[in-house]
Amino acid sequence: EVQLVESGGGLVQPGGSLRLSCAASRFTFSNYWMSWVRQAPGKGLEWVANIKQDGNEKYYVDSVKGRFTISRDNAKNSLSLQMNSLRAEDTAVYYCARVDCSSTSCFPYFDSWGQGTLVTVSS
Amino acid sequence: DIQMTQSPSSLSASLGDRVTITCRASQSISRYLNWYQQKPGKAPNLLIYAASSLRSGVPSRFSGSGSGTDFTLTISSLQPEDSATYYCQQSYNTVMYSFGQGTKLEI
């Protein structure tokens, strides 16, 4: 069974930085696009960022562009999210998710999720 | 950006009821539409992908339909464990995925 384990969350002051990590196991990590999805307390899901298998394509939701950086280390089966200039509205549980496609044609979906790590931005 | 709008935002139904949740995209997304179930304190769980394909292991009482801009998730006979929040998600725009705001289902 696919395993994704996030870490690195915590309390940080506005304007501060935090780096989240996601350790992947039990699948060939380098074969998959990966994503970060967040959920503010009591709110819905928000896609944050995507990264291609080789790390050469990265996409972000507008609200984090220029502040967050997604990266991956395929040798270590690890996904990261560097978060700078944090704001109160970035407070959320951050999930690492694997992107898969149906076998016949590629309709992407999030088929595996980690348990999430809580980031709280507050003074 | 593609906006996803779900309705209703919440609903209450009884055991054995048939329930339908709708999701509308702000532009045509073909069949690039997925449905997730989320229970409190847990990560979301994929139910339906490509608008109507049931994920392996998901009970057959769940079904999805639609294409273009209008989609539905149907639960044919509600069970106690179906109490959850349901989200649609578009993957048509790989540059920017997006979710609906969620539908909270109480039984």
Side-chain angles (χ1 to χ4, degrees):
Chain A
E1 182 184 349
V2 170
Q3 191 164 26
L4 298 168
V5 180
E6 301 94 338
S7 61
L11 175 64
V12 61
Q13 292 189 340
S17 298
L18 210 57
R19 186 177 182 88
L20 306 183
S21 295
C22 172
S25 59
R26 302 177 185 172
F27 68 101
T28 305
F29 181 70
S30 59
N31 285 354
Y32 292 86
W33 282 76
M34 296 295 296
S35 292
W36 287 98
V37 175
R38 67 184 179 183
Q39 186 169 36
K43 302 298 184 182
L45 300 170
E46 180 181 41
W47 168 79
V48 173
N50 275 355
I51 185 168
K52 194 178 178 182
Q53 291 92 330
D54 59 7
N56 287 337
E57 290 185 43
K58 305 174 184 181
Y59 303 108
Y60 303 90
V61 68
D62 286 348
S63 60
V64 309
K65 284 179 182 175
R67 300 188 300 122
F68 289 13
T69 301
I70 189 172
S71 62
R72 64 191 297 161
D73 184 337
N74 286 342
K76 295 183 178 179
N77 294 333
S78 178
L79 178 72
S80 297
L81 186 67
Q82 177 66 42
M83 303 186 296
N84 299 330
S85 303
L86 282 161
R87 307 166 179 167
E89 55 265 35
D90 295 319
T91 294
V93 173
Y94 284 73
Y95 294 102
C96 163
R98 188 179 81 166
V99 182
D100 200 2
C101 285
S102 52
S103 57
T104 51
S105 56
C106 188
F107 291 91
Y109 47 81
F110 301 121
D111 75 325
S112 300
W113 300 67
Q115 84 288 351
T117 187
L118 176 62
V119 172
T120 303
V121 184
S122 174
S123 56
Chain B
D1 300 358
I2 300 175
Q3 309 299 321
M4 307 301 295
T5 303
Q6 287 181 232
S7 61
S9 297
S10 64
L11 75 156
S12 181
S14 300
L15 290 176
D17 281 357
R18 180 184 181 90
V19 167
T20 297
I21 298 169
T22 65
C23 179
R24 175 165 290 177
S26 60
Q27 67 181 70
S28 177
I29 58 170
S30 182
R31 293 190 294 120
Y32 289 84
L33 192 283
N34 308 310
W35 290 97
Y36 302 85
Q37 177 193 66
Q38 186 181 33
K39 296 184 178 181
K42 299 293 186 181
N45 181 47
L46 176 70
L47 299 175
I48 302 284
Y49 62 93
S52 59
S53 295
L54 186 68
R55 184 185 192 181
S56 177
V58 173
S60 59
R61 62 181 181 274
F62 291 92
S63 64
S65 65
S67 66
T69 60
D70 294 317
F71 303 86
T72 60
L73 172 70
T74 299
I75 309 173
S76 61
S77 179
L78 276 177
Q79 300 300 305
E81 60 268 29
D82 299 336
S83 179
T85 300
Y86 294 84
Y87 294 92
C88 62
Q89 176 246 334
Q90 66 81 17
S91 59
Y92 177 82
N93 183 354
T94 57
V95 174
M96 190 172 294
Y97 292 161
S98 51
F99 289 89
Q101 80 278 15
T103 296
K104 185 175 183 179
L105 173 59
E106 294 183 345
I107 301 173

